[in-house]
């Protein structure tokens, strides 16, 4: 399980976040390798365990050392591909309806085009304004 550091004011087991990359203020920090260096930009992570150690931080003031895992991502997939255990290569749906309530599942944060994934859970049928036959699933990168 990767070790990283998270804003001490927000951290708790279950806290989820997206790594957006290394902020400018962090590039000269001696802890950048442990803090940001263990995480891949653009991925979603969830805090699994807290460690006792805290450090000063130029961005957050104080950060806490934590253990994280890459989070399962809920996404919309074409229904015929939505079965438990299916191995799929992630391709974002071609959708430009950004005001649709399901858009966050059609173009989710945390996955990149071409990621090899496995369906961990099938959730529910989805309504689609473009008449796609969609199913909400939970995917984990392999």
């Amino acid at each position: 399980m990767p070790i990283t550091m998270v804003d001490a004011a927000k951290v708790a087991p279950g806290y989820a976040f997206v790594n957006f990359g290394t902020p400018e203020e962090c590039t000269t920090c001696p802890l950048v390798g442990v803090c940001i260096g263990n995480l891949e930009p653009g991925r979603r992570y969830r805090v699994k365990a807290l460690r006792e150690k805290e450090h000063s931080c130029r961005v957050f003031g104080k950060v806490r050392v934590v253990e994280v895992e890459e989070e399962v991502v809920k996404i919309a997939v074409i229904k015929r591909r939505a079965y438990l255990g299916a191995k799929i290569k992630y391709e974002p749906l071609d959708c430009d309806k950004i005001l649709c309530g399901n858009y966050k599942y059609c173009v989710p944060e945390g996955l990149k085009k071409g990621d090899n994934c496995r369906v961990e859970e099938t959730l529910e049928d989805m309504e689609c304004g473009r008449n796609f036959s969609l199913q909400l699933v939970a995917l984990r990168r392999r």
Side-chain angles (χ1 to χ4, degrees), residues 64-95:
R64 181 133 178 215
V65 178
V66 297
E67 297 174 25
V68 297
E69 71 177 0
E70 206 170 307
E71 189 172 40
V72 171
V73 180
K74 292 181 183 178
I75 74 159
V77 297
I78 302 299
K79 200 178 267 190
R80 72 178 181 277
R81 300 176 72 198
Y83 58 92
L84 189 62
K87 294 176 182 174
I88 63 174
K89 186 169 280 202
Y90 173 68
E91 293 289 331
L93 292 173
D94 183 21
C95 184

Side-chain angles (χ1 to χ4, degrees), residues 10-83:
K10 293 182 180 178
V11 71
Y15 176 73
F17 62 94
V18 175
N19 175 17
F20 290 109
T22 306
E24 178 81 24
E25 300 90 340
C26 301
T27 57
T28 59
C29 177
L31 299 173
V32 70
V34 175
C35 187
I36 304 282
N38 290 333
L39 305 179
E40 189 177 337
R43 302 293 182 194
R44 293 186 62 82
Y45 295 91
R46 181 169 298 279
V47 173
K48 296 302 285 181
L50 306 177
R51 300 249 177 124
E52 294 300 316
K53 191 72 176 160
E54 290 186 343
H55 296 278
S56 294
C57 174
R58 295 175 191 151
V59 175
F60 297 111
K62 188 175 280 192
V63 289
R64 181 133 178 215
V65 178
V66 297
E67 297 174 25
V68 297
E69 71 177 0
E70 206 170 307
E71 189 172 40
V72 171
V73 180
K74 292 181 183 178
I75 74 159
V77 297
I78 302 299
K79 200 178 267 190
R80 72 178 181 277
R81 300 176 72 198
Y83 58 92

